[in-house]
Amino acid sequence: MTQTWDINGAELSSRLFLGTAEYSSLDALRQSIESSAPGLITVSLRRENAAGKGQSFWNIIKEFDIPVLPNTAGCYGVEEAVTTAEMAREVFDTNRIKLEVIGDDYTLQPDPYGLLLATEKLIDKGFEVYPYMTDDLVLAQRLVDLGCNILMPWGSPIGSGRGLNNVYALRQLRERFPDKTLVIDAGLGAPSHAAQAMEMGYDAVLLNTAVAKAGNAPLMASAFAKAIEAGRSAYLSGIIAKQEHATPSTPLLDKPFWHQEKS
Amino acid sequence: MKITINGTSKSIDDTMNIHDFLLSEGYEDKLVAVAVNNHFIARTSYDNYTIQDRDIIEIVAPMQGG
C-alpha cells in the first residue's frame, strides 16, 4: 500500500514524478495520470498565442489534486533559466522548479557550471530548486553547499531509455548524501530500471518518455508506479548481500537418505 | 513603434503598458507570464511597465513538460 512521504515539507502520495509531454493525446495523458497517481506532475512553459492552446492542457492538470513541478526545459543559459523559473512561479503558483540548464545538444547533458550559477540565483529568490544534474559527486556537494535539499541525477540521457548508466556513481551519491532527497531523473525505459533505483535507496523517480511513448501509456504508467512501490518496499525490507557460492534454502538436516552410504 | 512578440515582429501605434497590451492582444482571460527583453515582468507590475520601441516580449503559458 502506498504511503505518503514528505519532500521539503510537502506531503506527496507517491514516489513517482510523471512528465506530461509526448503523449499521443491529452486523453492518453489524463489516463496515465489516473492509472499511476503520481506524487508530482512535471509541467513546462511555452510561447502562447491568444488562441490559448496551453490552457486546455492546464485545465486537465488542474482536475487532479496533484502538486506540479515546473521545469526550465530547453534553457541553455543561466539568465534564460532564471527568467523562465520566475515566469513559471507566477503561472503555476509554486516555488518548486526543476532546474534544467543544458550544456550539450547531443546528450542533453546538464551544464554543471550554469546549473550552479542558476541554482544560487534562484535560491536567493526563494525558489525550491530541484536540479537536473549528472551523477557527479562534487557537483552534488556544490549544490548541497548552495542549499539544495533535493538532487536529481540523471539515470542516462533524456529519452534514451537506457536505464541507470552509472550505478556506481549513483550508489555513491546515495551513500554520501543520506539525508538529502535523491530523485532519478531521466533516461529510464523499463519499470525494472525504476525498481532498481528504488532498491538502491533513491527517494523517487521522475520519468516521462518511457510512459508517453509506450504502446499503451496508461498501462505503462501503472507498471512504473508498481515497480517504484516494489523497489521502495524491497529497500526498506533489506536486500540480502550477494555471495559467490550457493546456500541451500531447504534445510538438509534430517532429509531422507541423509548420510546414506553411496552404493 | 515596432516590437517583437514571441519571435514575430509587430507594429503598435499606441504607447501602452503590459496590462493594456495583453488586453488588446486577446490575452485577458489567459493564464500567462510575461518577460520583456529577457527580464520577467511580474503581474503586479503590468501597469507600471510602458512598452518601448524595439522591446522583445515573450508571453508564455502552461505546456506539457517532462
Side-chain angles (χ1 to χ4, degrees), chain A residues 118-129 143 146-148:
Chain A
T119 296
E120 186 170 24
K121 288 173 183 282
L122 289 172
I123 287 178
D124 281 348
K125 291 174 181 286
F127 280 88
E128 184 183 327
V129 176
L143 288 164
L146 289 174
C148 286

Side-chain angles (χ1 to χ4, degrees), chain A residues 82-112:
Chain A
V82 170
T83 302
T84 301
E86 290 179 300
M87 290 194 284
R89 176 158 65 181
E90 182 159 271
V91 166
F92 297 111
D93 195 25
T94 176
N95 284 326
R96 290 186 202 97
I97 190 73
K98 176 188 166 184
L99 180 57
E100 297 185 32
V101 183
I102 300 300
D104 179 67
D105 273 336
Y106 185 71
T107 60
L108 297 180
Q109 179 169 331
D111 172 355

Side-chain angles (χ1 to χ4, degrees), chain A residues 47, chain B residues 1-12 21 25 53-57:
Chain A
R47 286 172 169 170
Chain B
M1 62 182 172
K2 192 171 272 187
I3 63 170
T4 302
I5 172 171
N6 284 350
T8 302
S9 294
K10 186 179 181 69
S11 293
I12 58 173
F21 176 72
E25 293 292 315
D53 187 36
R54 299 181 189 279
D55 270 353
I56 297 172
I57 301 174

Side-chain angles (χ1 to χ4, degrees), chain A:
Chain A
M1 179 172 169
T2 302
Q3 294 193 332
T4 59
W5 64 295
D6 181 275
I7 185 165
N8 261 13
E11 191 174 271
L12 303 185
S13 60
S14 165
R15 293 174 184 272
L16 167 64
F17 299 172
L18 187 63
T20 53
E22 299 188 295
Y23 291 81
S24 58
S25 66
L26 287 179
D27 200 43
L29 167 62
R30 184 205 310 267
Q31 290 176 34
S32 297
I33 295 172
E34 287 171 348
S35 67
S36 61
L40 279 178
I41 294 174
T42 61
V43 292
S44 194
L45 290 175
R46 285 295 177 269
R47 286 172 169 170
E48 177 80 332
N49 59 32
K53 62 183 178 183
Q55 311 296 318
S56 55
F57 159 71
W58 183 235
N59 287 337
I60 288 176
I61 298 303
K62 281 192 301 184
E63 291 174 11
F64 299 93
D65 187 22
I66 298 174
V68 296
L69 175 60
N71 69 27
T72 62
C75 289
Y76 284 75
V78 173
E79 296 306 325
E80 180 189 7
V82 170
T83 302
T84 301
E86 290 179 300
M87 290 194 284
R89 176 158 65 181
E90 182 159 271
V91 166
F92 297 111
D93 195 25
T94 176
N95 284 326
R96 290 186 202 97
I97 190 73
K98 176 188 166 184
L99 180 57
E100 297 185 32
V101 183
I102 300 300
D104 179 67
D105 273 336
Y106 185 71
T107 60
L108 297 180
Q109 179 169 331
D111 172 355
Y113 309 104
L115 182 64
L116 288 171
L117 290 170
T119 296
E120 186 170 24
K121 288 173 183 282
L122 289 172
I123 287 178
D124 281 348
K125 291 174 181 286
F127 280 88
E128 184 183 327
V129 176
Y130 291 57
Y132 167 61
M133 54 179 286
T134 61
D135 47 38
D136 187 276
L137 183 62
V138 178
L139 172 60
Q141 184 61 60
R142 297 287 181 269
L143 288 164
V144 168
D145 291 345
L146 289 174
C148 286
N149 292 316
I150 299 157
L151 301 172
M152 300 213 298
W154 64 354
S156 51
I158 295 172
S160 67
R162 295 174 56 85
L164 307 183
N165 255 359
N166 191 342
V167 171
Y168 170 80
L170 293 171
R171 285 193 192 282
Q172 286 288 311
L173 289 178
R174 180 68 288 174
E175 287 175 20
R176 295 289 289 276
F177 300 100
D179 301 326
K180 299 302 175 190
T181 299
L182 297 186
V183 181
I184 291 290
D185 178 7
L188 303 190
S192 56
H193 299 151
Q196 182 187 14
M198 298 305 293
E199 288 170 5
M200 289 163 54
Y202 272 73
D203 296 285
V205 167
L206 193 162
L207 54 95
N208 189 152
T209 308
V211 167
K213 293 295 189 185
N216 184 330
L219 188 58
M220 185 61 84
S222 170
F224 266 101
K226 291 171 184 169
I228 288 165
E229 212 170 313
R232 178 66 181 174
S233 295
Y235 171 70
L236 294 175
S237 302
I239 297 170
I240 65 167
K242 288 180 183 173
Q243 56 187 15
E244 296 298 325
H245 56 84
T247 305
S249 51
T250 304
L252 295 180
L253 190 63
D254 291 334
K255 87 171 193 55
F257 320 116
W258 180 247
H259 286 176
Q260 183 174 291
E261 278 190 23
K262 290 177 182 171
S263 55

